[in-house]
Amino acid sequence: MNSTVLTLSERNSIDAGSWFSKLSEPLRGDILSRATVRRLGDDAMLSCRGEPAEEWVGVAKGAVRISSVSLAGKQVSLTYVEPGTWFGDISLFDGMPRTHDATTHGETTLLMVRKPDFRELLQRHTELYEALLRLNCRRLRLMFDAIEDLNTLPLASRLAKQILLLARSYGVKQGNEIRIGLQLAQEDLAQLLGASRQRVNQELKTLERDGAVRVEPTRLVVLSKEKLLALANR
């Protein structure tokens, strides 16, 4: 279902995005005036690897799973794009096809900016060039950090860091607990960490015994950020 209006919570998610919120008011307004609201259910395909790029996308609610297909033909999740985040600009810049598959994860609301409008925004607002350059520098730094963690940290530390990131992006505070709103099976979590589901399951059981998390079906609840931070920094 499409709608031309964001709900208040969806608009707040966009406005509060760490990148979008730093843009000037005229640029933010121009982007929103050109964006179409699109509401999709779970597991809806947005784009496939190899397709031409036609839209720039902002997530207002839910999440978008970025994935690839392994040599064995298995779909592998690489990351989840959270509310307040914009993506899809790289292929619009270099004219190359999409590099990965993108599907919705849960009920998702998106802002879609067509390629001609994206190019016109760049022409009208030189500020957008610098802002997107900073955004892609941040992405590159995060990618290098992830590669470093994969090669230097034990799985337990990487799992603790991943849970803290999920809590920051999708956490809902309930008393002394933080319930992670993003529904992830252990297989999904294992793919994000480049590990097997069995090893992740073992580490989650250890975290649960230590009182750091509680494992629920498709949900994680953070019981102690302090214990996770200590493990992540080990």
Side-chain angles (χ1 to χ4, degrees), residues 71-85:
L71 292 176
K74 180 182 178 181
Q75 198 79 19
V76 178
S77 300
L78 302 176
T79 190
Y80 290 83
V81 184
E82 65 192 65
T85 304

Side-chain angles (χ1 to χ4, degrees), residues 86-209:
W86 292 77
F87 70 98
D89 47 279
I90 293 176
S91 292
L92 292 178
F93 266 125
D94 65 15
M96 300 293 286
R98 295 293 193 196
T99 56
H100 299 90
D101 297 335
T103 55
T104 58
H105 188 80
E107 298 289 327
T108 302
T109 302
L110 305 170
L111 288 177
M112 317 290 287
V113 178
R114 297 181 310 115
K115 179 164 56 173
D117 288 316
F118 178 78
R119 289 177 172 171
E120 189 168 341
L121 284 167
L122 290 172
Q123 293 175 353
R124 289 169 56 90
H125 301 273
T126 55
E127 169 195 354
L128 185 56
Y129 276 106
E130 291 188 7
L132 287 171
L133 178 60
R134 289 194 300 272
L135 177 62
N136 282 292
C137 286
R138 181 174 181 274
R139 290 169 178 161
L140 191 59
R141 289 178 183 272
L142 291 173
M143 183 185 70
F144 282 132
D145 286 345
I147 293 172
E148 182 179 2
D149 287 351
L150 185 62
N151 287 278
T152 61
L153 294 182
L155 177 59
S157 297
R158 290 192 282 121
L159 176 59
K161 288 185 71 171
Q162 184 65 66
I163 293 173
L164 287 168
L165 287 172
L166 291 171
R168 186 183 67 185
S169 301
Y170 298 98
V172 178
K173 194 167 180 58
Q174 296 180 341
N176 294 324
E177 302 178 349
I178 301 174
R179 178 176 294 272
I180 295 175
L182 186 69
Q183 296 188 33
L184 289 181
Q186 289 188 17
E187 177 64 27
D188 297 322
L189 192 56
Q191 290 177 7
L192 292 177
L193 295 165
S196 68
R197 186 194 63 78
Q198 291 79 7
R199 289 190 62 205
V200 169
N201 178 263
Q202 291 171 359
E203 296 295 348
L204 284 172
K205 287 180 178 178
T206 300
L207 289 176
E208 198 164 27
R209 285 195 302 269

Side-chain angles (χ1 to χ4, degrees), residues 7-100:
T7 66
L8 180 60
S9 62
E10 291 168 349
R11 178 61 188 267
N12 287 340
S13 292
I14 290 293
D15 288 342
S18 59
W19 177 79
F20 189 79
S21 63
K22 293 180 175 64
L23 302 178
S24 67
E25 185 175 347
L27 176 53
R28 294 198 307 270
D30 206 359
I31 290 172
L32 294 175
S33 70
R34 296 167 186 270
T36 300
V37 178
R38 190 177 180 191
R39 292 188 167 87
L40 297 167
D42 182 45
D43 205 31
M45 179 66 73
L46 297 179
S47 59
C48 296
R49 181 174 186 166
E51 287 184 345
E54 298 296 337
E55 291 170 314
W56 183 40
V57 185
V59 182
K61 173 188 172 183
V64 174
R65 181 179 65 176
I66 306 300
S67 61
S68 185
V69 178
S70 70
L71 292 176
K74 180 182 178 181
Q75 198 79 19
V76 178
S77 300
L78 302 176
T79 190
Y80 290 83
V81 184
E82 65 192 65
T85 304
W86 292 77
F87 70 98
D89 47 279
I90 293 176
S91 292
L92 292 178
F93 266 125
D94 65 15
M96 300 293 286
R98 295 293 193 196
T99 56
H100 299 90

